[in-house]
Amino acid sequence: MGLIDLIFGRKKVFNHPYLGNFTSQRINNNNSLKTYYWIGDTCLVNNNGDEFATSLFINGNTNSPYNNQLSFISELVQNWKKRLLFKN
């Protein structure tokens, strides 16, 4: 553990089966009541079939993003892709 990790904490990685990896801000303790932000990336497709990388910023605790936010974003991304497929 380096000096910066000791002072500011470490970043953690959470792997979601559909959305992929989320990386936390630096977490310095195990206070599960404190809220941290987690950042992930996904790819969205427009009506022309062009893909766009999109960053996802969600809240969570020391272990992972909050389940209700993961569920909502997963549903949003899945419906985004399905909706565009049926519009053409």
Side-chain angles (χ1 to χ4, degrees), residues 9-10 14 16 20 22-23 28 30 33-34 59 69-71 77:
R10 288 183 170 191
F14 174 79
H16 186 269
F22 285 87
T23 304
N28 196 14
N30 284 329
L33 299 177
K34 187 173 178 184
N59 295 324
Q69 291 190 9
L70 288 171
S71 297
V77 171

Side-chain angles (χ1 to χ4, degrees), residues 35-72:
T35 299
Y36 296 93
Y37 66 83
W38 293 75
I39 302 169
D41 295 314
T42 191
C43 191
L44 296 176
V45 180
N46 68 9
N47 288 334
N48 297 330
D50 300 326
E51 294 183 355
F52 297 94
T54 303
S55 295
L56 304 169
F57 293 80
I58 61 177
N59 295 324
N61 59 24
T62 58
N63 299 318
S64 67
Y66 293 135
N67 284 331
N68 61 345
Q69 291 190 9
L70 288 171
S71 297
F72 176 78

Side-chain angles (χ1 to χ4, degrees), residues 5 17 32 59 69 71 79 87:
D5 290 342
S32 61
N59 295 324
Q69 291 190 9
S71 297
N79 288 335
K87 273 191 165 186

